[in-house]
């Protein structure tokens, strides 16, 4: 609790700017030695960025970090480790084909001249296990371990380098409930041994159970920090969301009554999706809400056919879609705007026209006949589309890599819309675009629905989902756990996403 | 303490700026040099050789250069397609050898037309085999074709037992030596292959898809492109071209199995790289590969005419390739 001990770590006005975005805005925190201090916040609140700055993985734009009252400046996680600060990332950084022991001592192997002294390595390892109370087989290859055991290896690695501050970034996001419990037991043991732990998470339940103090971040700012005993899940959710200013969203026309255009029935994929069923009507915008890792993108990709599924059917207007393959989806009028435009969406070294028409080369008689391209028609059609979407520059020959993020995103839209789809899946349609482009994209989504396109909308920005959708489905751990009509309260959706007793359907 | 420079994860990694000039505007970039530099080098070398060697600039000599390089040219044009699709075919030499052997064997045991067609058909099959190995089994095409090249050469050697199969029927020589005077069928076939593949890449749906799978396979798949199918077709093209080259050369000497084709692999890749086609896929052009082939051929021819020792020629060729590849990697980094 907040007994007046000396702060082990102190942040003073810490800020981080990425381009035009202020990801962390002058955060000041004081973290007592031997405590677990949690950082919570919605997606994009800046909690991970704060953790990474303390760990030396990101350098702050402004502000200071003090260790035991002394200002430090880390150029790399390695330097941080030299000062006793270890970082355990979401994605573990182990050498999978080496043994547990080799990973733990990687780079600090006990030596005998220039040879590794395996005997003393083993005795140090045993000593380490004894002092930490962990149980991991030292000779097992890391690849063969569960994620939870791999995390133990990461922690042992930090311990053997003398770390006394450990920052954990969403350590339980890929763990089962059981494994999470075990990790928590380990963390409590570490704390009892005097370790200071900064715990970044959006799982409120575990944060409340585990931490001494909780800091709440929203939009890069520290909302408050205080003892965990003074918080409840409801107060945390409230603090994380605040009262967001409502933006200007296009008016929603209720979809015309009719049979569902898209029916997804019992979709499952081991480890990702559990028995997901949903329907989308023509002209309807169905929002998918949920935390990062809840399975929203996996669901989108499974419906579209980009990922395989173990079970379940996808039916469009009464016709069942053949086994997962994007080319069949396009032919059936189902298009998807992928989550990451650079990795999954665009050919950066090709001009706009080649990007836009790629999905339709086989089906458009105007731009390709018997495999031969009609480039004049292609240019004309793409130019019209670019004008409709207000893409700058409005040239079909412009290279995609030279365009701004917002305009690249519009090109990606153009690719889905070159032939108007019947169903459009939008995965993070406004990620990384500026305010103007964002507004234009919202209007576009509204007008597509008004024209009768059925839309599945995924966004980490909950406000965007609530502002646009006719219906909101909430996902958690690969399943749909709640359904809401238009304009549900943000708190109710968040509660469902965090797994609190939802107001609507129970899981 | 190290400063806080360049740890910003918001920008793509590895984006070091090279150009000292102003960041935008119409200036000569490494990209321009890569795409059109070869024309300049080609013309300069052509002029230099025309001046320094009296026998260089003659129809005879020029057609000779092209004829001697028809095989490597055909292979390099097809290799361009494979490489743009982010694949690699190291088995072209072995396919060349085995197809030449098969062609001669069929010409002897069946007849000459079957010899020609059968040789090329062998290449289609071997190319398809390469393509399926690297797609369905997920083996990198570099390793898959390295392995199959051993299989194919071994099979060819098993047929010849070390003795080339000579074809007594004189009509077998038509493809390599017949034609319209010095304009042999082999030159004509090379020209047709180059033009067809150039148009295929720039003017057809298939070509678009090859650039797409090479540029960003994941994005191509998400755009409904059947990535594996396209990749297999590029290997079929490569196999067929290597076989065609093997048949042409077998026809030229009226015998199959003289040349193991070992040097063709590197020669064709060198020509592709010289033409500025990205080894990482997604960018490139057949016409520039043709210039690359002819440039290397001209260097060899010029050094011969000027009686410069061939080891200097190898060194010079090596340096030319280094420059071309360096310019290419500069262009990518920009």
């Amino acid at each position: 609790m907040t007994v007046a001990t000396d702060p082990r770590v102190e942040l003073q006005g810490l800020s981080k700017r990425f381009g035009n975005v202020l990801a962390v805005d002058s955060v000041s925190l004081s973290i007592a030695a031997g405590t677990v201090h949690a950082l919570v916040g919605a997606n994009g609140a800046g909690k991970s960025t704060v953790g990474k700055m303390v760990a030396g993985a990101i350098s702050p734009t402004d502000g200071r970090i003090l260790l035991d009252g002394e200002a430090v400046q880390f150029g790399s996680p390695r330097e941080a480790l030299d000062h006793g600060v270890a970082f355990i990332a979401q994605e573990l950084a182990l050498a999978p084909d080496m043994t547990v022991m080799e990973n733990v001592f990687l780079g600090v192997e006990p030596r005998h001249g220039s040879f590794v002294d395996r005997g003393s390595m083993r005795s140090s390892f045993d000593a380490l296990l004894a002092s930490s109370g962990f149980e991991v087989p030292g000779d097992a290859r890391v690849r063969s371990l569960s994620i939870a055991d791999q995390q133990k290896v990461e922690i042992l690695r930090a311990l053997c380098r003398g770390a006394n501050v450990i920052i954990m970034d969403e350590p339980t996001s890929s763990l089962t409930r059981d494994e999470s419990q075990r990790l928590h037991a380990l963390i409590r043991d570490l704390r009892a041994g005097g370790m200071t732990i900064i715990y970044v998470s959006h799982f409120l339940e575990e944060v409340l159970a585990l931490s001494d103090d909780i800091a709440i971040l929203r939009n890069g700012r520290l909302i408050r920090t205080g003892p965990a005993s003074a918080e409840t899940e409801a107060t945390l959710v409230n603090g994380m969301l605040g009262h967001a200013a409502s933006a200007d969203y296009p008016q929603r026309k209720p979809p015309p009554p009719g049979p569902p255009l898209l029916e997804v029935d019992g979709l499952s994929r081991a480890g990702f999706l559990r028995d997901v069923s949903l329907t989308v009507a023509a002209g309807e915008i169905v929002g998918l809400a949920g935390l990062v890792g809840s399975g929203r993108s996996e669901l989108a990709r499974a419906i579209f056919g980009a990922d395989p599924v173990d079970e379940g059917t996808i039916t469009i207007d009464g016709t069942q879609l053949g086994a997962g393959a994007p080319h069949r989806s396009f032919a059936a009028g189902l298009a998807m705007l992928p989550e990451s435009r650079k990795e999954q969406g665009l050919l950066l070294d090709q001009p706009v026209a080649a990007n836009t028409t790629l999905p339709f080369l086989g089906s458009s008689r105007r731009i390709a006949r018997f495999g031969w391209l009609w480039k004049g028609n292609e240019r004309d059609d793409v130019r019209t589309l670019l004008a409709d979407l207000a893409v700058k520059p409005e040239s079909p020959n412009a290279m995609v890599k030279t365009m701004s993020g917002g305009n690249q995103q519009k090109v990606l839209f153009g690719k889905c819309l070159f032939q108007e789809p019947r169903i459009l899946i939008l995965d993070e349609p406004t990620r990384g675009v500026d305010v103007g482009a964002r507004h234009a994209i919202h209007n576009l989504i509204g007008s597509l629905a008004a024209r009768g396109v059925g839309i599945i909308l995924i966004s980490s920005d909950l406000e965007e989902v609530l502002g646009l959708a006719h219906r909101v489905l909430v996902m958690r751990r690969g399943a749909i756990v709640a359904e809401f009509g238009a304009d549900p309260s943000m708190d109710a959706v968040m509660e469902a996403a965090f797994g609190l007793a939802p107001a609507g359907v129970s899981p | 303490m190290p400063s806080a420079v360049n740890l910003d994860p918001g920008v793509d990694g590895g984006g070091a700026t090279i150009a000292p000039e102003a960041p935008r505007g119409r200036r000569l970039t490494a990209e321009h040099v890569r795409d059109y530099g070869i024309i300049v080098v080609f013309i300069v070398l052509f002029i230099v050789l025309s001046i320094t060697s009296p026998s260089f600039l003659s129809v005879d000599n020029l057609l000779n250069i092209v004829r001697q390089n028809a095989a490597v040219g055909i292979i390099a044009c097809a290799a361009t397609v494979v490489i743009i699709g982010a694949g690699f075919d190291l088995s072209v030499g072995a396919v060349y050898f085995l197809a030449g052997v098969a062609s001669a064997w069929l010409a002897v045991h069946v007849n000459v037309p079957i010899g020609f067609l059968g040789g090329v058909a062998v290449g289609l099959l071997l190319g398809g085999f390469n393509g399926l190995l690297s797609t369905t089994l997920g083996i990198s095409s570099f390793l898959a074709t390295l392995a199959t090249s051993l299989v194919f050469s071994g099979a060819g050697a098993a047929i010849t037992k070390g003795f080339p199969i000579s074809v007594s029927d004189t009509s077998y020589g038509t493809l390599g030596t017949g034609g319209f005077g010095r304009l042999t069928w082999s030159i004509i076939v090379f020209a047709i292959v180059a033009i067809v593949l150039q148009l295929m890449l720039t003017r057809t749906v298939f070509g678009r898809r090859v650039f797409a799978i090479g540029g960003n396979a994941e994005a191509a798949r998400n755009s409904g492109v059947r990535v594996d199918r396209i990749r297999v077709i590029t290997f079929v093209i490569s196999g067929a071209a290597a076989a065609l080259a093997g048949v042409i050369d077998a026809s030229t000497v009226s015998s199959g199995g003289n040349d193991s084709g070992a040097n063709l692999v590197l020669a064709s890749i060198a020509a592709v790289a010289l033409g500025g086609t990205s080894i990482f896929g997604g960018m490139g052009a057949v016409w520039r590969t043709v210039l690359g082939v002819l440039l290397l051929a001209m260097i060899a021819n010029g050094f011969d005419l000027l009686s410069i020792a061939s080891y200097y020629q190898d060194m010079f060729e090596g340096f030319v390739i280094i420059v071309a590849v360096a310019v290419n990697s500069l262009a990518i980094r920009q």
Side-chain angles (χ1 to χ4, degrees):
Chain A
M1 308 290 163
T2 42
V3 186
T5 47
D6 291 337
R8 175 81 177 96
V9 182
E10 215 176 335
L11 316 182
Q12 292 181 346
L14 208 59
S15 297
K16 180 64 194 180
R17 181 179 286 283
F18 294 123
N20 292 324
V21 184
L22 199 55
V24 174
D25 187 359
S26 143
V27 167
S28 297
L29 258 187
S30 145
I31 295 162
T35 63
V36 177
H37 203 120
L39 300 180
V40 302
N43 299 327
K47 54 189 191 300
S48 283
T49 310
V50 170
K52 285 178 186 157
M53 284 193 283
V54 178
I58 295 178
S59 46
T61 315
D62 218 344
R64 295 203 303 167
I65 298 169
L66 286 83
L67 271 188
D68 295 326
E70 263 179 56
V72 287
Q73 210 180 348
F74 301 138
S76 68
R78 210 194 159 86
E79 274 180 47
L81 196 51
D82 291 341
H83 286 79
V85 178
F87 182 61
I88 296 180
Q90 234 167 319
E91 319 270 314
L92 299 179
L94 297 167
D97 289 314
M98 292 170 77
T99 67
V100 168
M101 221 171 11
E102 287 164 346
N103 266 284
V104 168
F105 291 97
L106 194 63
V108 294
E109 296 89 351
R111 281 160 200 273
H112 214 86
S114 51
F115 294 95
V116 173
D117 181 351
R118 298 199 73 90
S120 77
M121 191 200 265
R122 183 169 299 276
S123 52
S124 321
F125 183 74
D126 290 341
L128 204 55
L129 284 190
S131 71
S132 64
F134 288 13
E135 278 173 34
V136 218
D139 295 315
R141 302 224 172 260
V142 162
R143 187 186 291 287
S144 68
L145 301 179
S146 67
I147 303 275
D149 280 341
Q150 293 188 18
Q151 277 176 335
K152 282 188 200 163
V153 178
E154 283 265 19
I155 294 172
L156 285 174
R157 204 166 157 175
L159 290 178
C160 98
R161 286 161 177 77
N164 45 27
V165 176
I166 296 184
I167 298 146
M168 297 187 180
D169 191 6
E170 306 272 6
T172 57
S173 59
S174 42
L175 297 188
T176 65
R177 209 179 167 75
D178 229 37
E179 290 175 325
S180 305
Q181 298 290 351
R182 269 180 281 155
L183 179 71
H184 291 169
L186 292 181
I187 291 173
R188 290 196 183 93
D189 288 349
L190 290 172
R191 176 179 58 186
M195 181 73 74
T196 306
I197 289 153
I198 300 176
Y199 191 88
V200 178
S201 178
H202 56 217
F203 292 110
L204 302 183
E205 200 183 325
E206 61 179 47
V207 161
L208 283 167
L210 187 65
S211 331
D212 300 299
D213 297 288
I214 301 177
I216 304 172
L217 289 119
R218 186 202 314 151
N219 296 331
R221 289 207 197 87
L222 181 70
I223 299 304
R224 64 168 180 268
T225 180
S229 54
E231 302 280 1
T232 65
E233 294 189 21
T235 61
L236 288 179
V237 169
N238 198 14
M240 285 160 55
L241 296 180
H243 294 283
S246 84
D248 210 8
Y249 287 97
Q251 213 167 10
R252 269 167 291 182
K253 243 181 26 181
L261 191 54
L262 171 75
E263 286 174 272
V264 174
D265 191 30
L267 217 55
S268 290
R269 181 181 174 210
F272 296 98
L273 298 173
R274 287 187 288 135
D275 192 24
V276 175
S277 299
L278 60 87
T279 62
V280 181
E284 188 182 29
I285 304 176
V286 175
L288 275 186
L291 303 170
V292 168
S294 61
R296 298 168 309 174
S297 294
E298 288 75 8
L299 176 59
R301 293 175 57 82
I303 295 174
F304 179 63
D307 286 341
V309 295
D310 301 328
E311 256 179 280
T313 58
I314 295 145
T315 312
I316 295 175
D317 208 4
T319 313
Q320 197 174 320
L321 200 62
H327 68 271
R328 294 210 186 92
S329 302
F330 273 109
L334 169 64
M336 180 179 79
L337 184 106
E339 186 179 10
S340 152
R341 64 176 165 267
K342 283 187 177 163
E343 279 81 41
Q344 304 168 342
L346 294 171
L347 306 169
L348 297 174
D349 289 312
Q350 295 291 321
V352 171
N355 270 280
T356 313
T357 58
L358 186 61
F360 307 105
L361 295 176
S363 57
S364 166
R365 291 276 153 276
R366 252 184 75 74
I367 53 170
R369 249 171 274 172
F370 305 110
W372 189 261
L373 295 169
W374 293 78
K375 289 194 171 179
N377 285 348
E378 182 185 47
R379 259 196 302 278
D380 293 348
D381 291 2
V382 170
R383 190 172 284 123
T384 311
L385 184 67
L386 294 181
D388 283 353
L389 295 173
V391 179
K392 297 278 175 298
E394 213 172 275
S395 158
N397 299 325
M399 284 297 183
V400 170
K401 69 178 163 199
T402 64
M403 305 173 93
S404 74
N407 282 301
Q408 288 184 350
Q409 192 70 7
K410 287 184 188 173
V411 170
L412 198 54
F413 259 92
K415 184 166 155 175
C416 295
L417 301 176
F418 185 77
Q419 273 176 4
E420 191 155 296
R422 300 162 78 191
I423 308 276
L424 179 58
I425 302 172
L426 301 171
D427 194 354
E428 302 288 357
T430 59
R431 172 171 288 179
V433 308
D434 59 50
V435 181
R438 186 180 145 91
H439 194 68
I441 288 172
H442 288 162
N443 286 333
L444 176 66
I445 295 171
S447 67
L448 284 170
R451 292 211 296 268
V453 178
I455 292 172
I456 295 178
L457 171 67
I458 296 173
S459 175
S460 295
D461 182 348
L462 186 55
E463 207 184 302
E464 182 172 275
V465 175
L466 301 189
L468 290 167
H470 294 106
R471 253 186 321 133
V472 178
L473 307 177
V474 182
M475 290 192 75
R476 180 175 168 78
R477 301 201 190 270
I480 291 176
V481 293
E483 174 169 350
F484 297 93
D487 288 317
S489 89
M490 209 178 251
D491 292 6
V493 174
M494 282 303 268
E495 281 177 6
F498 280 114
L500 312 186
V505 189
S506 62
Chain B
M1 289 277 106
S3 68
V5 192
N6 242 348
L7 270 171
D8 191 334
V11 282
D12 303 350
T17 347
I18 292 124
E21 299 98 323
R24 285 272 172 272
R26 290 194 71 84
R27 67 199 164 83
L28 191 68
T29 63
E31 207 163 323
H32 293 133
V33 175
R34 178 195 64 192
D35 290 353
Y36 303 106
I38 189 158
I39 301 179
V40 177
V41 177
F42 185 87
I43 292 172
V44 168
L45 189 66
F46 193 89
I47 293 171
V48 168
L49 287 176
S50 304
I51 295 168
T52 51
S53 165
S55 44
F56 174 76
L57 192 59
S58 69
V59 177
D60 258 8
N61 185 48
L62 294 180
L63 282 179
N64 233 352
I65 294 177
V66 181
R67 192 177 55 76
Q68 285 165 354
N69 288 279
V72 68
I74 290 168
I75 291 174
C77 287
T80 311
V81 178
V82 174
I83 290 172
I84 289 173
F88 244 105
D89 188 352
L90 297 183
S91 74
V92 285
V95 173
Y96 165 93
F97 171 66
L98 180 51
V101 170
S103 168
W105 191 91
L106 288 168
V108 171
H109 293 86
V110 188
N111 61 36
V112 169
I114 293 293
F116 288 152
L117 294 175
V120 176
V122 164
L124 286 170
L125 292 175
L126 300 181
F129 182 65
N130 280 333
L132 290 174
L133 271 187
S134 60
T135 52
T136 55
L137 292 187
I139 307 171
S140 100
S141 59
F142 191 92
L143 296 177
T145 55
L146 185 66
T148 56
S149 71
L150 293 174
V151 176
F152 301 161
S153 327
I159 297 173
T160 63
K161 305 276 194 301
F163 301 101
I165 301 171
S166 53
V167 185
S168 49
D169 188 334
T170 49
S171 68
Y172 189 69
T174 313
L175 198 54
T177 54
F180 308 93
R182 283 181 297 269
L183 186 62
T184 56
W185 282 113
S186 54
I187 296 175
I188 295 167
V189 170
F190 174 27
I192 291 173
V193 167
I195 291 166
V196 166
L197 290 181
Q198 166 68 23
L199 292 177
M200 190 184 251
L201 278 179
T202 57
R203 292 275 156 179
T204 71
V205 171
F206 172 75
R208 278 281 171 82
R209 289 174 174 163
V210 172
F211 278 103
I213 67 168
N216 185 342
E218 168 75 7
R221 188 173 287 114
N222 284 335
S223 303
V225 175
R226 275 169 275 184
V227 175
D228 284 355
R229 173 192 286 209
I230 302 297
R231 184 151 291 148
V232 169
I233 297 174
T234 65
F235 278 95
V236 169
I237 290 171
S238 173
L244 187 58
V247 172
I248 286 174
D249 279 3
S251 160
T252 306
V253 295
S254 278
S255 115
N258 294 285
D259 181 351
S260 71
N263 56 341
L264 285 171
V265 182
L266 292 182
S268 61
I269 292 174
V272 173
L274 208 51
T277 291
S278 166
I279 236 73
F280 303 108
M283 281 180 277
V286 166
W287 67 266
R288 296 205 305 258
T289 295
V290 172
L291 287 186
V293 170
L294 296 181
L295 188 63
L296 288 174
M298 250 172 19
I299 293 172
N301 183 253
F303 274 67
D304 284 350
L305 294 178
L306 299 173
S307 319
I308 302 173
S310 69
Y311 35 84
Y312 290 121
Q313 177 191 322
D314 287 348
M315 287 171 66
F316 185 71
E317 282 186 13
F319 279 123
V320 169
I321 293 166
I322 289 171
V323 170
V325 174
V327 167
N328 193 9
S329 84
L330 270 180
I332 287 173
R333 270 190 279 172
Q334 276 184 357

